[in-house]
Amino acid sequence: MASTQLQHARAGTVTPAMKRVAARENRDPEFVREQVAEGQAVVPANRNHDSLDPMVIGREFATKVNANIGNSETTSDLTEELEKLHTAVHYGADTVMDLSTGSNLDEIREANVAYSPVPIGTVPIYEAVKRVDSPEDITRDLLLDIIEKQAEQGVDYMTIHAGVLMEHLPLTDGRKTGIVSRGGSILAQWMEEHGEQNPLYVAFEDICDIFAEHDVTFSLGDGLRPGCLADAGDDAQFAELDTLGELTRTAWDHGVQVMVEGPGHVPMDQIAENVERQREVCDGAPFYVLGPLVTDVAPGYDHITSAIGATEAGRAGAAMLCYVTPKEHLGLPDREDVREGLAAYRIAAHAADVANDLPGARDWDDALSEARYEFDWARQFDLALDPERARSYHDQTLPGDNYKEARFCSMCGVEFCSMRIDQDAREADGEMETIESATDLDASPAADANLPPVGAHDTDRVPDEIEIGGVTFTPESAHGDD
């Protein structure tokens, strides 16, 4: 009988996926195995995801970033979704969630799994809603059928909102924004209509059996997460968290890996407290947070408001950060929104790793700083989180090749460039010594996630072409230009 990564780890087996993860994290494979065995880390790796380059999510490893993509009923088709997938992977997403709610759900999911070297996540209840006339018509059997189908298609992790219980619903009555999770609101409507307990909670052990068969990882959904600062830390949020702790232990009993999703909108001063509470309630299962947003006043800039909170969450021990794009609360993200969201969250994740003193995490910063001081523009661009953006901004005002060797940029000009002035002073006979570069990134102990370039996933197993709905796609035709 096939075993999950968790079952292998408990049996003392270091799997090929764990070995690959260890290489990417610059850690001992045995340490990876121990973390997985203890439930402190997960390696989402569905046996049916042939193109996967395995990765690990856990607070002892580099902070990871998830990118949400997906179509809606009115926006985006298969080609656009594959372009967004490619953009997400190119700009450093460690996992991608397909949150499609429009048409051609199976085709989009299959294409994403086929072309993605990173784990793919889904929210099965979205498809359930599309399969019925009204959410109240959803049945336990339908949910299990959809979950099993998506597992067979190769989905690596699924958001399951099994922690929203009937007894929790009255706790949301005093909120400003009610239930803001799509999955949570759908299940609340179903329970109100039927007067019965959450079908995902009732069928949870059946779901565990499906997940164990295909080695799918739980991402236990936070269906009652706060949707504004005023609702943060209320009884509804924490009642659901207590249930998620119970479900975590049940999944572990079935040999299934678990991570737990978290808020949401949380004031800055409450973020660390939220992370610590999750760790205690869920016995250290990896925490996967959306943001959190630290203010509600900036529609159009929520990639910034949330990245501030994400940095603090990562510093406090959150293992994966779910990005927010500038379109959050306003519209469906496009390719450029995906790029902007990932830039903000790669910064947040890296800043958290530097703050947590992960081995070698700051070496990247030091190497770029040295290139900046030396006016080595080419190396500075190459080391940038987004090299294309850095080069483009520089060339808007100083486009000529001769300016790639200049000892100034257009911000200060020649006369007021402080680093040129400092260099000249050090080169003169005086008290200050000349500064020499010292950082060797090739020798850095940092994890891949904390070294340039971002998006350096192994794509050797990604197919040259796939056929979906009678149409042949290749990486070039699907991805467009970077």
Side-chain angles (χ1 to χ4, degrees), residues 14 18-35 61 445:
V14 175
M18 294 176 204
K19 291 179 181 177
R20 171 57 179 155
V21 162
R24 297 182 70 179
E25 297 286 329
N26 266 326
R27 296 295 186 94
D28 189 300
E30 179 62 19
F31 178 72
V32 174
R33 185 200 66 77
E34 290 172 354
Q35 287 287 298
F61 303 97

Side-chain angles (χ1 to χ4, degrees), residues 5-16 18 29-30 33:
Q5 295 292 326
L6 177 56
Q7 290 167 334
H8 278 302
R10 287 172 172 170
T13 303
V14 175
T15 65
M18 294 176 204
E30 179 62 19
R33 185 200 66 77

Side-chain angles (χ1 to χ4, degrees), residues 1-18 32-33 35-39 41-48 151 155-156 207-218 250-258:
M1 177 179 176
S3 297
T4 65
Q5 295 292 326
L6 177 56
Q7 290 167 334
H8 278 302
R10 287 172 172 170
T13 303
V14 175
T15 65
M18 294 176 204
V32 174
R33 185 200 66 77
Q35 287 287 298
V36 173
E38 294 169 5
V42 297
V43 179
N46 188 316
R47 281 185 281 273
N48 302 314
V155 171
D156 300 286
I207 300 171
C208 287
D209 291 339
I210 295 170
F211 279 20
E213 180 181 354
H214 300 278
D215 202 358
V216 178
T217 298
F218 273 109
T250 299
W252 284 343
D253 288 343
H254 285 75
V256 179
Q257 301 182 98
V258 180

Side-chain angles (χ1 to χ4, degrees), residues 16-190:
M18 294 176 204
K19 291 179 181 177
R20 171 57 179 155
V21 162
R24 297 182 70 179
E25 297 286 329
N26 266 326
R27 296 295 186 94
D28 189 300
E30 179 62 19
F31 178 72
V32 174
R33 185 200 66 77
E34 290 172 354
Q35 287 287 298
V36 173
E38 294 169 5
Q40 307 302 289
V42 297
V43 179
N46 188 316
R47 281 185 281 273
N48 302 314
H49 189 170
D50 296 331
S51 60
L52 181 67
D53 184 16
M55 50 78 72
V56 65
I57 301 166
R59 67 178 178 276
E60 295 297 326
F61 303 97
T63 306
K64 301 307 189 297
V65 175
N66 171 70
N68 289 338
I69 61 173
N71 74 349
S72 70
E73 191 58 57
T74 60
T75 309
S76 186
D77 58 16
L78 176 56
T79 299
E80 290 178 68
E81 288 309 308
L82 287 174
E83 288 176 350
K84 284 192 278 187
L85 170 66
H86 174 63
T87 301
V89 173
H90 178 74
Y91 288 107
D94 296 294
T95 75
V96 171
M97 289 203 78
D98 174 12
L99 304 187
S100 294
T101 57
S103 303
N104 303 317
L105 298 184
D106 280 324
E107 290 87 348
I108 289 173
R109 189 181 311 114
E110 290 170 3
N112 281 335
V113 170
Y115 272 141
S116 179
V118 305
I120 293 291
T122 60
V123 186
I125 199 167
Y126 294 174
E127 181 177 353
V129 171
K130 297 291 295 183
R131 295 265 294 272
V132 295
D133 293 330
S134 175
E136 302 94 79
D137 297 332
I138 294 172
T139 65
R140 171 185 172 279
D141 288 343
L142 175 62
L143 288 168
L144 291 175
D145 286 346
I146 290 170
I147 289 168
E148 185 167 26
K149 178 190 68 175
Q150 293 192 7
E152 291 170 348
Q153 289 173 320
V155 171
D156 300 286
Y157 67 98
M158 298 185 202
T159 294
I160 303 295
H161 297 91
V164 183
L165 304 185
M166 285 186 66
E167 54 267 36
H168 299 160
L169 301 185
L171 300 176
T172 67
D173 290 346
R175 286 182 159 187
K176 284 189 180 296
T177 54
I179 300 174
V180 299
S181 159
R182 287 192 290 197
S185 64
I186 291 164
L187 288 163
Q189 182 180 352
W190 189 95

Side-chain angles (χ1 to χ4, degrees), residues 200-263:
L200 291 173
Y201 179 81
V202 173
F204 191 75
E205 293 196 69
D206 295 318
I207 300 171
C208 287
D209 291 339
I210 295 170
F211 279 20
E213 180 181 354
H214 300 278
D215 202 358
V216 178
T217 298
F218 273 109
S219 186
L220 294 177
D222 53 341
L224 298 180
R225 66 177 178 268
C228 63
L229 299 189
D231 295 343
D234 68 358
D235 291 342
Q237 177 190 338
F238 290 138
E240 181 186 24
L241 179 61
D242 289 341
T243 305
L244 298 184
E246 167 201 326
L247 296 174
T248 295
R249 291 179 283 276
T250 299
W252 284 343
D253 288 343
H254 285 75
V256 179
Q257 301 182 98
V258 180
M259 56 184 170
V260 177
E261 297 183 16

